[in-house]
Amino acid sequence: MAARLERDRLRAEGVGNHQNAVKYLGQDYETLKQECLKSGRLFEDPKFPPIPSNLGFKELGPNSDKTQGVLWKRPSEIVEDPKFIVGGATRTDICQGTLGNCWLLAAIGSLTLNEDLLHRVVPHDQNFQKDYAGIFHFQIWQFGEWMDVVIDDRLPTKDGKLLFVHSAECQEFWSALLEKAYAKLNGSYEALSGGSTTEGFEDFTGGVAEIYDLKKPPSNIARIICKALERGSLLGCSIDVTSARDMEAITFRKLVKGHAYSVTGFKNVDYRGQQESLIRIRNPWGDVEWSGAWSDNSSEWNEVDPNQREEMHLKMEDGEFWMSFRDFMRQFSRLEICNLTPDTLDKDGLSRWHTTLFEGTWRRGSTAGGCRNHPATFWVNPQFKIRLLEEDDDPEDDGVACTFLVALMQKHRRKARQAGEYLHTIGFAVYEVPEEAQGCQNVHLKKDFFLKNQSQAHSETSISLREVSNHIRLPPGEYIIVPYTLEPNKEADFVLRVFTEKQSDTEELDEEISADLPDEEEISEDDVDENFKNMFRQLAGEDMEISVFELRNFLNITIAKHKDLKTDGFSMDSCRNIVNLMDKDGSSRLGLVEFQILWNKITRWLNIFRRFDQDKSGTMSSYEMRLALEAAGFKLDNKLHQVVVDRYADDSQGVDFDNFVSCLVKLETMFRFFKSKDREGTGSAVMNLREWLTYTMCS
């Protein structure tokens, strides 16, 4: 919580934008470089040293055949007179090595088409000559923030050659160093294996990506591609595989299945008196090119004007090739476009989006409710409200509407691979806010709402990608966006980005923290039933007061008689908290009246527990507990409910009766203490150190 508050403060000060990037792992490039120049030594990165675990953990793990004989070398130890960039960064500078990260290389290749974008990621004032100190840095976008990643230039080699990304120009090293920075950011080189080109697109631009199914394309897909290229958007394409055996299988016409290509150009040429639409594709392998019509040495080029042919830069076996747009649509399955501003691709105008970013979490037992197929828990997922205020300037045939784009991204899943964790299947649904909840912020819609209402829009498919996104058009009004994982209890952090064409309001929906505490009971000994007095005398003994030990024995014996309740028994800590709540005279024991008031509370809480133990299992699920706490008068937000679950639920997210009572005692004690310090009802309390320590030690 403290870390998140600090991050929010830094963001408010502008830290994390491109002009003021976050120093990844606290490393400052200029400071470290000057220290090296002053000492006369080359930089050695202590945060990403040349050790086997930074290569990988499985196929590239320390005992893997692929990593035997690997030596980490500086460029000057690999070639004479190394260069950072030779003749400008181009697509041919990126050739794939032994790592299956063609998705990343396709993104880097597209990045070279836009010099401004490239220099944001690859600061161009770096070299191996002037003030060389073995240190380089790159800026990479991660989940809403730009990170400045520092590396040393020791690169993994085998048999004297770079093991991973390399340039066709053997003296050039910018692409290999960028790959190392990306590997450091994700924990290892192997963490980069396999992925979607859109992931690389977004991390190099901070933009938002969209995916098109080329087997069911929009009618204006050619115009979408052209406008995206004109606007400097990054484009990638691939051919779907139907089985693991198909992965990187090469077709008859030399296209690679399951492989990430870059789209780098689109051109209409005069061919036999007609216009022929051609599209330019790059294979990051640097070779293996399309061999069909319009390939490098095909006969079709003989009938194209020589000047135009020269303008289109035909080079043999450089990994880049032209093909007809018709063949492209037949051969490829998927197109990925990263919008940089981002602009609407399907509009003629270049309107800018208004953007909002939320950070959220799915946590087992509290905010990870699963998809709509799990109606008992779907409602506990985080909820975000968007208020669409203005309709689009250019309404379409389906009437007045507001266009917005929702992009949901799960965080840090590559880094989690080493622990055996992978991408979750994620999605989101959009609901219209009910009339009674419109204009309200402190409302978290409950289960009944989602049982009775259909979504107005949703992600196209729940899929195991880092990010899912969708263009949506809805009438002006208030809507709820509910991000979810396919299955309940899948834990992850996420970023939800909302892009609207016109101005809108967005906010996270959550309960306002509050407690409806009943007035303290005013009773005397005369009000206590005689049978209860007799029970108390037997329990309390001669001193006529109940100690913590006596209370524990009594509660455990009594609760054990209720066969419909499951319990591990009240602990000493729980009973101490109960005594602290009820003890009015400071004796650390309970008198008759105090015990009567306690028993009345426990009886009421028992009725609530039974009401929300809907399956009569003797325990409540952590989700049922959220509703039970509300019935007892306590409203908590998502973060506090997560704390409650961590403290009081068992490994299977069940809450038994003794933990339920302990939680209610704790909440009531805390709320009453706070209100005693906030007599004016301002929502803030002031206490000195002694009061704080006394309270926390006692509770």
Side-chain angles (χ1 to χ4, degrees), residues 170-201:
C170 65
Q171 287 182 297
E172 186 173 52
F173 286 91
W174 73 268
S175 58
L177 293 168
L178 173 57
E179 181 191 42
K180 180 176 181 178
Y182 204 69
K184 177 179 178 178
L185 196 61
N186 287 281
S188 70
Y189 277 93
E190 188 173 354
L192 306 183
S193 181
S196 166
T197 306
T198 56
E199 186 174 341
F201 283 168

Side-chain angles (χ1 to χ4, degrees), residues 209-227:
E210 295 180 277
I211 299 176
Y212 291 90
D213 181 352
L214 296 181
K215 301 309 175 189
K216 296 181 292 184
S219 58
N220 61 343
I221 186 66
R223 184 168 68 91
I224 287 173
I225 293 172
C226 289
K227 292 182 75 66

Side-chain angles (χ1 to χ4, degrees), residues 164-330:
F164 303 125
V165 168
H166 54 279
S167 171
E169 173 62 59
C170 65
Q171 287 182 297
E172 186 173 52
F173 286 91
W174 73 268
S175 58
L177 293 168
L178 173 57
E179 181 191 42
K180 180 176 181 178
Y182 204 69
K184 177 179 178 178
L185 196 61
N186 287 281
S188 70
Y189 277 93
E190 188 173 354
L192 306 183
S193 181
S196 166
T197 306
T198 56
E199 186 174 341
F201 283 168
E202 292 183 334
D203 286 351
F204 296 140
T205 66
V208 63
E210 295 180 277
I211 299 176
Y212 291 90
D213 181 352
L214 296 181
K215 301 309 175 189
K216 296 181 292 184
S219 58
N220 61 343
I221 186 66
R223 184 168 68 91
I224 287 173
I225 293 172
C226 289
K227 292 182 75 66
L229 287 167
E230 288 170 7
R231 203 174 284 124
S233 299
L234 307 185
L235 293 85
C237 58
S238 60
I239 302 170
D240 288 345
V241 297
T242 55
S243 67
R245 187 174 55 187
D246 272 353
M247 181 58 72
E248 297 198 340
I250 299 176
T251 69
F252 174 69
R253 292 296 185 186
K254 296 293 184 69
L255 294 177
V256 186
K257 294 184 177 181
H259 189 60
Y261 290 83
S262 306
V263 178
T264 62
F266 194 102
K267 192 81 172 178
N268 291 315
V269 298
D270 293 323
Y271 177 67
R272 294 181 177 175
Q274 294 184 333
Q275 288 283 298
E276 179 79 28
S277 294
L278 303 182
I279 189 167
R280 188 173 63 199
I281 311 294
R282 172 161 172 75
N283 181 352
W285 283 354
D287 55 13
V288 187
E289 297 183 10
W290 164 251
S291 61
W294 298 100
S295 58
D296 286 355
N297 54 4
S298 69
S299 59
E300 286 83 1
W301 291 107
N302 297 330
E303 300 187 46
V304 175
D305 181 272
N307 292 329
Q308 190 170 30
R309 190 167 63 220
E310 179 65 25
E311 181 186 312
M312 295 172 73
H313 303 295
L314 282 177
K315 293 182 181 178
M316 300 303 172
E317 289 303 316
D318 61 350
E320 193 165 57
F321 54 86
W322 291 91
M323 62 192 305
S324 75
F325 186 65
R326 288 191 303 274
D327 281 339
F328 169 77
M329 295 297 294
R330 279 195 292 261

